[in-house]
Amino acid sequence: MQKMAVSTYILGISCFYHDSAASLIKDGEVLAAAQEERFTRVRHDSSFPINAIKFLLRQANITIEDIQIVAYYDKPFITFERLLESHLATAPKGLQLYLKTIPVWLSRKLDIKSEIKRNLKSLRKNKRSKLPELLFSAHHQSHAASAFYPSPFHDAAVLCVDGVGEWATTSLWQGHDTKLTPIKELHFPHSLGLLYSSFTQYLGFKVDSGEYKLMGLAPYGRPKYAKKIRDELIDLKDDGSFRLNMTYFGYLESTQMIHSKFTQLFGQPCRKPETRFSEFHCDIAASIQEVTNQAMIRLASHARSVTGQKNLTLAGGVALNCVANTQVFQKAGFEQVWIQPAAGDAGGSIGSAYLAWHQHLKQPMKKKDKDQMQGAQLGPDFGREQIFQAVTASNLVYEELSDSDLTEQVSNELVKQSVVGWFQGRMEFGPRALGQRSLLGDPRSPSMQDQMNLKIKFRESFRPFAPSVLAEKAADFFEEPSISPYMLFTAKVKKSTAAEPGQSLNDQRKSLTSDYPAITHVDTSARLQTVDKDISPKYHQLLESFFKKTGCPMLINTSFNLRGEPIVCTPQDAINCFMNSNIDVLVLENFVIHKSRQTDPVYHKYQQDLAPD
Amino acid sequence: MTIFKRLFHYWKLFGKTVFHGLALILLVFTFYMVLTPLGWLRRKFSKAPVQLNLDPEAKSYFLTSHPESNDSMTTPY
C-alpha cells in the first residue's frame, strides 16, 4: 500500500463513443461529475469532455497540475482489435463500414494517449509543468467499478450489460471490499444492448437515444412475438448466457443494425420516424421488452447462484431499463439491488477513477453505510449573484422569496395546474432529472400528460411522465415500491386499473383508470423516484407542501429540456428553455418568474422547430 | 495578392482531393487484397474470436473471465 501525503485527485474520463463525461474523486470520494453535452448543448456529445473537466477543476478549486492521475474508461487497442477481427470474420462484406470506421481510428482514436495529452496540455497554467499519469481501465471493468465502489455494499455481485465495450457485452463480477473479480462474460457480437437497439431502429427510433421510448411503448402491446424472437433471433440459455443469430443483424458488417431478413421475419418494414404507431409496433415493443426481462432475470439469478451474494449492483446501458431492473429486483432472489445512476458510458468515468484509487494505488475502502453518489447531485450549481445577473440581463420580471415562501407559492402554482421549471442546487449526473433540473406538474390532472408532452416538451404524446414521491409515503400509493432515488425502478400505482392492449394508444390512455393519470402507464406502472429529506431537502419540502394541500405526495418530474436538447445546465439555459416553451413558472433557486407577468413579447413566442431526439 | 490567395486555395483543394483519393484507393486495396484473404484463411484454419454460430446443444455460452494483471491500467491494451 502506498502512503498518501497530500490529497490525491483522480480525474476519470469517458469519451469518443457517446455521452462523454468527466468525474473527479479526491482521496477516494466523488467530488463532482458532469456530462459534456450539458455544456456544449449537443445531445449525447462524444467529444473530449474539456468543458466538463474545466468545471471539475473550478468546483474543486484546483488546476490540472494538482491532478495526480487521469484514468480513461476503455482500452482503445483492444477495441480496435475487435473491429479488425469483425472485418476478418465478415470480409469481403463490410467495405462501407470499414471505410467509415478505420480512418477515424487510425487518425485519432488509436493514439488516444496523444489525444488526451493534447487536450490536457491546453488546461495547463504553466506550460512546463508535468502532465498527470495516464491510466486505462477496460470498458466493462469501468462499468463494474462504477456499480460496485459507490454502492452502499462492501460485498456484492456485479452485473454489467450494455451494447459493447472492447469485446465484452455482458459481464459478471464479484465485489469484495476493494477487490473486483471478473467471473464470466459474453463477447461481441452477442449483445443484449445491441439486440434492444436493433428493435429501437426497427420501430423508427434513434439508436443510442430512443431505447427508453421503446420501453415506454411496450406496455401498449402484447408480447405476441416474444416466442418468435426467442426461436429465431436469440438462443437464450438457462443461465442467462445467449448468442444472437447474426444472419438477422447488420451491425457486424454494415452501418445498419438489421438486415432485410429481420423485417421479413416480422412481415412488416421498419417504421418511419414520426409516423403513427400501429398495434403491431406496440406488440413488437412488448415482445422485445419481455425477452429482455427474461434474459436479465436469468443473468441476475445466475449471478446470485455463482457468487452466493445477497446484494446486486448493476451498470451498463441496459441497466437504465427500469422495467427489466424491477423484474430483476422482484425475481432474481437478491435482498438489495443498487444501480449506478449514470449506468451508461458517462458513469464509466467514475468507475475508471475509482479503479485508479483502489486497484492502481491500492487504497482501502472507507466504511460506508449509504451509496456514495450523493443523490447524483454532482454537477455545477449557481449562486444568487449569477442567477440575478442572468435574470436581469434577460429583462425578466421576477420576485425573490424565502425558502418557506418559495415552496408555499410554487405548490400553489402546481395546484393551479401550472407547469413549473424547477432549477435548484447542483445539476444531476446521469440521464435522469431528479429534482435539480426538472419540469414539475400535477399528476392528478388527466390533461397534464398531453399538456406537458405536446405544448412544453414537444414530444410524442404516448409517453407518460415519471413521479417524484415522498419516500416515506411511497408505500401508501404504490404496490411494493423499492427505494428508488434514481428513478431506476417501476412500481404499480395503487387503486388503478390497466387498459386493455389492442386498442389505439389514445383509447388505451382513455380507458386507464387512475387517481394519478399523468404518471400512470397503461399497465398501471410508474417509473418512480423516491425523494429523501436528507438528500433533497428543498424538493422534499415542496412535495410536502403539495401533499398538505392536495393529499397527493407526488409530482410529475420530467427533465428540464425541450425535445432533442440536453437537460439545462446554467440559469441562462433554463431561461432559454422557459422562453421557447409554454412553461408557466420558472424557479431559479429562490427567484420566481411567471410567464404571465412578462412584459417583453419575446417570452410569448415559442420556437417549435426542434430536432427529433 | 488576391490571385495568389485563390491559386493557393485551389492548390489546397487539389491536394486534399488527391490525398482522399489515394487514401480511399489504399483502404479499398487493403480491404480486398489483405483483409479478405486473411479473413478467409482465419475462418478456414483457426478458431476466430468472433463466434457466429449458435450451439443449441450447449448448456452455456459464458466465457471464463481472466483477472487483469496488477499493472494492467498502465497500458491502453
Side-chain angles (χ1 to χ4, degrees):
Chain A
M1 194 187 297
Q2 293 177 21
K3 196 173 178 185
M4 297 285 124
V6 288
S7 287
T8 304
Y9 290 96
I10 300 173
L11 175 67
I13 294 174
S14 62
C15 57
F16 300 137
Y17 299 98
H18 52 87
D19 297 297
S20 65
S23 307
L24 185 66
I25 68 171
K26 178 189 175 188
D27 297 333
E29 284 179 20
V30 184
L31 271 191
Q35 291 133 282
E36 183 69 1
E37 62 161 23
R38 306 291 166 87
F39 303 95
T40 60
R41 313 305 300 154
V42 177
R43 204 150 187 247
H44 304 301
D45 196 344
S46 63
S47 59
F48 186 84
I50 193 87
N51 296 291
I53 295 171
K54 284 177 183 169
F55 148 67
L56 299 179
L57 298 177
R58 271 198 313 274
Q59 184 72 24
N61 200 18
I62 56 171
T63 64
I64 195 72
E65 285 85 352
D66 296 313
I67 304 254
Q68 278 83 347
I69 291 173
V70 173
Y72 184 69
Y73 85 129
D74 192 86
K75 296 264 191 178
F77 277 56
I78 306 178
T79 307
F80 187 64
E81 180 207 11
R82 190 250 301 161
L83 281 175
L84 283 181
E85 287 289 358
S86 300
H87 285 300
L88 285 171
T90 55
K93 287 182 194 166
L95 177 67
Q96 201 186 356
L97 183 67
Y98 179 81
L99 294 178
K100 192 182 167 193
T101 54
I102 296 300
V104 180
W105 270 89
L106 291 178
S107 63
R108 205 167 64 119
K109 287 186 179 175
L110 202 53
D111 191 15
I112 224 154
K113 262 188 175 178
S114 303
E115 186 74 13
I116 293 173
K117 280 181 181 170
R118 187 177 61 76
N119 278 289
L120 295 178
K121 276 179 187 170
S122 72
L123 295 169
R124 284 186 306 189
K125 293 260 188 299
N126 176 359
K127 299 294 170 204
R128 288 184 182 173
S129 64
K130 213 178 136 196
L131 285 174
E133 184 182 9
L134 185 53
L135 301 178
F136 299 85
S137 53
H139 191 96
H140 267 237
Q141 190 186 18
S142 306
H143 276 316
S146 78
F148 177 62
Y149 293 126
S151 78
F153 315 130
H154 284 270
D155 290 281
V158 183
L159 180 60
C160 304
V161 188
D162 71 349
V164 62
E166 294 89 4
W167 279 101
T169 63
T170 302
S171 59
L172 168 56
W173 305 68
Q174 172 139 352
H176 170 66
D177 200 38
T178 60
K179 209 169 175 194
L180 196 51
T181 313
I183 301 171
K184 295 180 179 187
E185 60 197 58
L186 296 171
H187 280 185
F188 183 80
H190 308 291
S191 159
L192 202 55
L194 294 177
L195 173 70
Y196 205 83
S197 293
S198 298
F199 279 91
T200 302
Q201 188 178 72
Y202 184 51
L203 291 185
F205 302 121
K206 268 191 182 174
V207 172
D208 283 340
S209 162
E211 280 77 4
Y212 62 101
K213 295 185 190 179
L214 174 58
M215 185 181 74
L217 188 64
Y220 288 100
R222 295 187 180 97
K224 286 180 189 169
Y225 301 94
K227 185 173 182 312
K228 194 173 252 188
I229 294 170
R230 281 190 296 265
D231 289 347
E232 294 290 331
L233 299 184
I234 181 169
D235 181 15
L236 180 63
K237 303 294 187 192
D238 290 343
D239 63 359
S241 66
F242 58 87
R243 274 194 192 165
L244 304 183
N245 183 345
M246 291 308 296
T247 59
Y248 289 96
F249 300 92
Y251 58 81
L252 189 60
E253 79 277 0
S254 80
T255 51
Q256 294 298 309
M257 295 299 292
I258 52 176
H259 280 315
S260 55
K261 195 178 167 187
F262 185 103
T263 57
Q264 284 158 14
L265 177 69
F266 297 108
Q268 293 224 21
C270 292
R271 174 183 161 268
K272 288 198 172 69
E274 311 299 316
T275 56
R276 63 175 286 278
F277 295 98
S278 65
E279 189 183 337
F280 169 76
H281 297 132
C282 300
D283 291 342
I284 286 283
S287 305
I288 185 59
Q289 185 60 50
E290 184 178 282
V291 173
T292 304
N293 294 346
Q294 197 175 18
M296 286 296 284
I297 293 166
R298 288 188 192 184
L299 282 166
S301 303
H302 185 63
R304 189 179 55 81
S305 64
V306 168
T307 62
Q309 292 289 337
K310 58 181 183 180
N311 304 317
L312 173 70
T313 66
L314 290 168
V318 180
L320 292 170
N321 190 313
C322 47
V323 178
N325 295 342
T326 308
Q327 294 277 306
V328 165
F329 179 60
Q330 290 172 347
K331 296 178 181 170
F334 286 98
E335 285 177 22
Q336 296 182 83
V337 177
W338 187 84
I339 302 162
Q340 162 58 241
D345 276 11
S349 61
I350 280 195
S352 58
Y354 266 117
L355 282 164
W357 176 250
H358 288 305
Q359 300 216 349
H360 184 73
L361 296 178
K362 299 190 174 19
Q363 291 302 305
M365 177 89 78
K366 285 178 186 155
K367 197 165 187 268
K368 52 183 182 178
D369 53 2
K370 59 180 182 180
D371 89 58
Q372 308 295 299
M373 290 299 290
Q374 303 156 41
Q377 296 166 24
L378 297 169
D381 57 356
F382 297 86
R384 187 198 170 276
E385 198 52 37
Q386 288 163 297
I387 293 172
F388 175 75
Q389 279 177 10
V391 168
T392 49
S394 299
N395 206 20
L396 286 160
V397 179
Y398 69 92
E399 55 187 324
E400 194 177 357
L401 304 173
S402 66
D403 278 358
S404 57
D405 286 349
L406 179 80
T407 47
E408 184 65 19
Q409 194 183 113
V410 174
S411 59
N412 279 337
E413 285 294 336
L414 289 161
V415 173
K416 284 192 290 182
Q417 306 299 296
S418 295
V419 175
V420 175
W422 180 253
F423 182 106
Q424 300 290 332
R426 295 183 69 176
M427 184 179 70
E428 301 89 342
F429 181 54
R432 306 268 184 263
L434 300 167
Q436 310 298 112
R437 304 286 187 275
S438 294
L439 290 178
L440 309 177
D442 184 349
R444 301 168 304 156
S445 162
S447 61
M448 192 52 84
Q449 184 185 349
D450 280 347
Q451 188 188 334
M452 289 180 82
N453 265 333
L454 301 175
K455 292 185 180 170
I456 293 169
K457 299 204 75 171
F458 307 112
R459 69 179 202 182
E460 302 90 338
S461 63
F462 72 85
R463 293 159 60 192
F465 289 103
S468 292
V469 59
L470 289 170
E472 61 274 22
K473 296 283 175 195
D476 299 339
F477 293 82
F478 297 93
E479 288 170 17
E480 298 174 31
S482 48
I483 299 162
S484 178
Y486 302 117
M487 216 182 260
L488 288 167
F489 294 101
T490 63
K492 297 278 183 191
V493 179
K494 281 185 175 173
K495 297 180 196 165
S496 58
T497 319
E500 187 62 29
Q503 311 164 68
S504 74
L505 271 59
N506 269 341
D507 287 345
Q508 286 193 55
R509 287 224 57 86
K510 282 177 194 161
S511 63
L512 165 80
T513 56
S514 168
D515 292 339
Y516 311 100
I519 53 92
T520 313
H521 213 324
V522 290
D523 62 351
T524 74
S525 69
R527 185 164 50 91
L528 82 166
Q529 176 203 3
T530 49
V531 179
D532 195 290
K533 193 174 186 175
D534 295 334
I535 295 170
S536 305
K538 212 165 177 180
Y539 192 35
H540 190 275
Q541 200 182 337
L542 176 66
L543 282 158
E544 265 187 338
S545 175
F546 187 75
F547 176 56
K548 279 179 192 155
K549 291 184 173 105
T550 62
C552 166
M554 59 184 123
L555 288 169
I556 293 174
N557 174 8
T558 185
S559 54
F560 195 162
N561 64 319
L562 302 183
R563 188 178 184 188
E565 285 183 348
I567 296 174
V568 299
C569 176
T570 64
Q572 191 57 54
D573 296 336
I575 291 169
N576 294 343
C577 188
F578 175 65
M579 191 169 148
N580 288 318
S581 69
N582 288 297
I583 298 168
D584 300 300
V585 181
L586 173 62
V587 183
L588 298 168
E589 296 292 350
N590 289 38
F591 286 76
V592 179
I593 301 146
H594 293 261
K595 178 72 69 65
S596 59
R597 294 181 199 167
Q598 302 311 310
T599 48
D600 192 334
V602 76
Y603 291 104
H604 301 280
K605 291 176 187 166
Y606 310 125
Q607 176 196 320
Q608 298 197 19
D609 53 340
L610 300 165
D613 52 353
Chain B
M1 205 54 194
T2 322
I3 193 156
F4 285 115
K5 264 189 180 173
R6 189 169 289 176
L7 275 174
F8 181 63
H9 171 74
Y10 285 121
W11 177 248
K12 269 204 321 189
L13 203 69
F14 172 72
K16 261 187 180 175
T17 312
V18 169
F19 173 77
H20 285 298
L22 282 175
L24 184 69
I25 290 166
L26 196 67
L27 280 166
V28 173
F29 178 83
T30 54
F31 185 79
Y32 285 117
M33 304 310 284
V34 181
L35 222 66
T36 302
L38 269 178
W40 183 83
L41 289 169
R42 190 81 193 262
R43 294 193 292 271
K44 193 89 179 158
F45 298 108
S46 69
K47 196 185 172 193
V50 179
Q51 286 294 307
L52 297 177
N53 298 329
L54 301 182
D55 184 357
E57 303 305 315
K59 279 197 163 178
S60 175
Y61 286 124
F62 271 124
L63 306 165
T64 304
S65 302
H66 303 288
E68 301 274 347
S69 62
N70 282 343
D71 60 349
S72 70
M73 287 191 78
T74 54
T75 62
Y77 46 85

